[in-house]
Amino acid sequence: MVERNRLLDVLTWVVLAAGILVIAFPVYVTFVASTLTPQEVLQSPMPLVPGPHLVGNYRQALLHGAGETSVPVARMLFNSLVMALGVAGGKILVSILSAFAIVYFRFPFRKAAFWMIFVTLMLPVEVRIMPTYKVVSDLRLINTHAGMILPIIASATATFLFRQFFLTVPEELAEASRVDGASPMQFFRHTLLPLSATTIAALFVIQFIYGWNQYLWPLLVTTDRAMAPIVVGVTQMISRSGDAATSWNLVMATVMLAMIPPALIVVVMQRWFVKGLIETEK
């Protein structure tokens, strides 16, 4: 039995509050900068009270971007949303079917196939980026959503997690399905998928954020600014020439907008996410 200690409780809350402050203060400063004018952002020190330009700055960023040559942030948000959903859905679909085949089908070199998939953890996109780019270019997928999604939808980690879960499913369920005349895909659809719901939800959150935060691969495979996701678009909004000034207020507004979708996914699916990570008995 753990005894309550008032001093430890207070210390815990102090540490928790300090951690929240360290994490939240930069976000607050970003939000404040997104409500100011460019001149106010460059003041030293910058005001720490929100300004009156919140609606105007966010409307300007969403509909027009920062500068005459910039892409509207709404377009970049759409690109990021398509990529994140495609990556999350593709990784889960490929991984769960791969794990299903490895666990429930008997074919030559079955274990070798699994370990070959697992070894790909040592070959991230950054290592195989040149041959991957060559394949995408030959298939004419440059500046397409498919070109941003398809090369990174395979996931050895998700395959491993699904395989480990399927190994815990009682063999009697598969035998009962065979006795009832169910095909393998019917067993997969009506038995394994419902049992895997929490695992799928947890992986969806992780893979959605992974796809949303992709930078290097979309930077290489998109030469058209209109196809850039928002993580790449933020860097394109920063002027690198001495003649053009960066509209930092619009850049900060874009950063705030970029944080909203993944935060919403975590908040909405928090309960399923936690259950998928800690639940051991399905």
Side-chain angles (χ1 to χ4, degrees):
M1 180 177 179
V2 179
E3 296 184 2
R4 297 291 298 273
N5 187 307
R6 186 173 182 81
L7 180 60
L8 290 178
D9 289 345
V10 173
L11 180 61
T12 300
W13 282 106
V14 170
V15 172
L16 181 61
I20 293 174
L21 183 63
V22 169
I23 295 172
F25 184 70
V27 178
Y28 174 75
V29 172
T30 303
F31 171 73
V32 170
S34 70
T35 66
L36 304 175
T37 64
Q39 294 75 23
E40 290 172 331
V41 174
L42 296 177
Q43 285 182 6
S44 182
M46 189 192 81
L48 292 179
V49 178
H53 305 285
L54 185 147
V55 176
N57 287 347
Y58 281 79
R59 182 188 295 118
Q60 172 70 19
L62 278 170
L63 301 180
H64 306 289
E68 297 180 357
T69 60
S70 294
V71 177
V73 173
R75 172 66 186 182
M76 294 189 289
L77 285 171
F78 173 75
N79 293 335
S80 290
L81 185 62
V82 171
M83 183 172 181
L85 290 175
V87 169
K91 280 180 176 286
I92 290 173
L93 180 63
V94 171
S95 300
I96 197 170
L97 289 175
S98 301
F100 175 63
I102 290 171
V103 173
Y104 289 99
F105 289 86
R106 302 293 182 264
F107 54 89
F109 308 109
R110 180 168 58 100
K111 290 186 177 180
F114 168 72
W115 286 111
M116 287 179 64
I117 294 173
F118 200 70
V119 164
T120 60
L121 284 173
M122 294 181 284
L123 294 173
V125 175
E126 292 77 8
V127 174
R128 49 186 170 83
I129 200 160
M130 291 307 296
T132 304
Y133 182 86
K134 180 67 166 60
V135 172
V136 171
S137 178
D138 291 344
L139 294 176
R140 299 182 180 180
L141 294 178
I142 302 296
N143 288 320
T144 65
H145 291 120
M148 292 190 290
I149 295 170
L150 292 178
I152 57 176
I153 63 171
S155 175
T157 303
T159 303
F160 175 76
L161 291 176
F162 280 121
R163 173 184 178 270
Q164 295 305 108
F165 168 65
F166 289 162
L167 290 175
T168 66
V169 175
E171 182 65 26
E172 289 78 8
L173 290 178
E175 293 177 359
S177 296
R178 284 194 291 268
V179 170
D180 290 340
S183 67
M185 293 309 298
Q186 287 176 325
F187 169 68
F188 172 77
R189 178 183 175 184
H190 298 294
T191 304
L192 289 182
L193 276 184
L195 291 175
S196 307
T198 54
T199 304
I200 291 173
L203 285 172
F204 178 82
V205 174
I206 295 171
Q207 301 301 343
F208 181 92
I209 296 175
Y210 169 82
W212 186 271
N213 291 334
Q214 281 295 303
Y215 175 76
L216 180 59
W217 177 246
L219 179 66
L220 291 177
V221 83
T222 56
T223 58
D224 183 1
R225 285 194 171 191
M227 289 300 301
I230 196 165
V231 175
V232 176
V234 168
T235 64
Q236 294 176 346
M237 296 170 68
I238 301 174
S239 175
R240 291 172 174 79
S241 61
D243 299 333
T246 300
S247 300
W248 286 108
N249 56 335
L250 300 183
V251 173
M252 295 299 105
T254 304
V255 172
M256 292 300 301
L257 291 169
M259 287 189 281
I260 293 175
L264 284 177
I265 289 292
V266 172
V267 170
V268 171
M269 302 189 65
Q270 180 182 9
R271 181 178 299 179
W272 286 74
F273 176 68
V274 173
K275 287 181 65 177
L277 292 179
I278 67 174
E279 194 173 64
T280 57
E281 295 183 5
K282 305 292 181 178

